[in-house]
Amino acid sequence: MVAEDQSLENTGSIHVVKEQSRFCNVLCGPVRWIKMLSKELHWSFVFGVVSLYGINQGLGGSMGRVATEYYMKDVQKVQPSESQALTAITKIPWIIKPLWGILTDVLPIFGYHRRPYFILAGVLGVVSMLFISLHSNLHLYFALMWMTLSSAAMAIADVTIDACTAYNSIKQSALASDMQSLCSLSSSIGALVGYFMSGILVHLVGSKGVFGLLTLPFALVSVVGIVFSESHVPGFSYKQVNQRFTDAGRAMWRTMKCSDVWRPCLYMYISLALSLNIHEGLFYWFTDSKDGPMFAQETVGFILSIGSVGSILGATLYQLVLKDHPFRGLCLWTQLLFALSGMLDLILVLRLNLKFGLPDYLFIVVDEVVSQMIGRLKWMPLLVLTSKLCPHGIEGTFFALLMSIDNAGIMTSSWLGGVLLHVLKVTRTEFGNIWLAVLVRNVMRLLPLFVLFLVPKGDQNTFKLPSEIMGVDPEEGDEKEEARNLEMASLVHSVDRR
């Protein structure tokens, strides 16, 4: 290890950085791995990833999900299909992520591209959560409005840290998989803690009380904005904003016309849209159906937290074993496993597990762990591919555009799932056709395999877009990159500068 560190210091080669990353991950443990990333990418970036993905989105998002489900069911008293459609509306801010992305890329505030947007997102989230938690009799549509605003706050923070991740993934491509693994592990660990606490907190303080507690993760987002390391952009002319918006739009259009970009984007949308989301129907069945398990609030939170262990296992398995495999092969096997894992839900709702002597509690824990693990394995290579499709200079904008396509697929999945529940007449009290909804969902998960040819065959570490798409002149790339970096956050301490 000493010889390897000395080689890294002397040569500064990307290959050695990659080998050091593998060695740290496998042998030295997560502490050494995080220290290595902090050294290569600056500690404030790692702190931002852990705070936003781990605490705000992981812990806060999981607590918010459980609180929202009980809030819609017990406080607003809506049907499962209606809850499915309404909660999907709160995801609209994630679909317009390119708007937030282009603002962070081309419109600095007080000379900074990233820090003010973190602070703004934190303040907006705190205000939104306070309104929902303190109002004693909030109308459904006003509650939906504040939920959407809190979702917008999380989306703004997400697109800002995504921009930094995409920039670093291009600058040090050998660490792209490591960065995505850090993001996923932070999110999964945060979700584990959040789900474990959510049921207990809903029982103790109610769903509205949980919304009040969610002001703390949003406040942390503002703290990230205060301590984040970013180069100041002096003398910015706001008269050039229109031209910058135009240039960014042209760069996005030029990139989207590239077949290496739009083909995997189309696959990601189809894969997500056809994986019908019927979670609300299953949630109502878990908690309200006399023929179901009738889980209490604490049990629901605990089951979901155990499911997050599967997500951590999936991210770890990807980091240690699968991150060097070709994109298409991984997508093939993970999509197949994703469809097969849905059969566990079918066994549960048909009560076949009881015939085999397996209690509901044990079976659904296994179901959650397996489903979350496979879902994470399915998502990880797509995230790495997304980070590698972003051209220089508009990393935040273009990564946000790609993620908005994914979020559009997720929202389409929720709406189609809500329609399916409505057509099959799955309500608050009628669950006779819930098994058929699960079966239809499982069959639909196989359809993306027919468009798998849209995914590139390339290796995850060597795949890159053509130089003209990336916005780099092959002959003058180094000079243009250096000039461009003057207007970007100085997050990466390259080996040559040490």
Side-chain angles (χ1 to χ4, degrees), residues 61-348:
S62 57
M63 289 175 57
R65 171 186 167 184
V66 175
T68 299
E69 289 172 346
Y70 278 104
Y71 181 79
M72 299 297 280
K73 182 173 74 75
D74 298 333
V75 178
Q76 298 294 345
K77 300 186 183 301
V78 300
Q79 297 291 347
S81 58
E82 184 181 4
S83 176
Q84 189 89 40
L86 291 176
T87 53
I89 292 175
T90 64
K91 304 302 181 184
I92 290 178
W94 292 80
I95 296 181
I96 59 173
K97 281 179 68 174
L99 175 61
W100 320 128
I102 201 169
L103 287 174
T104 64
D105 277 337
V106 307
L107 187 61
I109 300 177
F110 301 115
Y112 294 100
H113 281 279
R114 314 300 184 197
R115 297 176 63 182
Y117 292 96
F118 285 132
I119 297 173
L120 173 64
V123 172
L124 182 60
V126 168
V127 172
S128 301
M129 291 295 94
L130 284 177
F131 264 91
I132 298 176
S133 62
L134 296 179
H135 202 289
S136 59
N137 190 24
L138 191 62
H139 190 274
L140 173 61
Y141 293 116
F142 283 108
L144 187 66
M145 179 192 72
W146 287 113
M147 288 180 184
T148 304
L149 287 176
S150 68
S151 180
M154 192 173 291
I156 293 171
D158 177 80
V159 76
T160 308
I161 196 66
D162 281 348
C164 302
T165 304
Y167 172 74
N168 286 339
S169 296
I170 296 170
K171 181 69 176 178
Q172 293 208 28
S173 60
L175 297 178
S177 298
D178 296 274
M179 281 182 271
Q180 293 300 337
S181 295
L182 176 64
C183 296
S184 295
L185 285 172
S186 299
S187 177
S188 298
I189 294 173
L192 187 153
V193 177
Y195 281 130
F196 180 79
M197 297 171 54
S198 61
I200 299 173
L201 291 174
V202 169
H203 177 74
L204 293 177
V205 300
S207 56
K208 293 171 62 177
V210 174
F211 285 130
L213 294 175
L214 290 179
T215 57
L216 299 178
F218 278 113
L220 182 61
V221 175
S222 294
V223 173
V224 172
I226 295 173
V227 303
F228 200 73
S229 176
E230 178 179 9
S231 297
H232 186 264
V233 182
F236 177 80
S237 176
Y238 287 92
K239 295 180 181 179
Q240 300 176 358
V241 169
N242 290 337
Q243 184 61 42
R244 288 174 175 264
F245 272 95
T246 302
D247 292 341
R250 289 174 178 172
M252 291 169 63
W253 176 245
R254 183 179 65 251
T255 306
M256 282 301 297
K257 290 192 299 182
C258 176
S259 61
D260 289 337
V261 176
W262 69 260
R263 287 163 62 92
C265 289
L266 180 59
Y267 171 81
M268 286 186 279
Y269 174 80
I270 293 174
S271 175
L272 291 167
L274 295 183
S275 301
L276 302 186
N277 181 1
I278 56 170
H279 174 77
E280 296 302 322
L282 290 172
F283 173 73
Y284 279 57
W285 182 79
F286 289 151
T287 56
D288 286 358
S289 174
K290 295 180 180 179
D291 296 326
M294 295 289 290
F295 288 138
Q297 295 165 342
E298 300 93 327
T299 305
V300 171
F302 182 74
I303 289 171
L304 292 173
S305 69
I306 297 300
S308 297
V309 174
S311 182
I312 296 173
L313 291 175
T316 304
L317 180 61
Y318 169 83
Q319 174 66 18
L320 298 180
V321 180
L322 301 175
K323 69 175 185 176
D324 296 325
H325 287 256
F327 285 114
R328 188 177 296 181
L330 270 181
C331 290
L332 169 63
W333 290 108
T334 54
Q335 190 68 40
L336 280 172
L337 291 173
F338 189 55
L340 290 174
S341 67
M343 300 305 294
L344 295 175
D345 287 334
L346 186 62
I347 293 173
L348 183 66

Side-chain angles (χ1 to χ4, degrees), residues 41-49 161 164-165 168 179 228 491:
L41 305 172
H42 198 274
W43 69 268
S44 65
F45 170 75
V46 176
F47 174 71
V49 167
I161 196 66
C164 302
T165 304
N168 286 339
M179 281 182 271
F228 200 73
L491 298 175

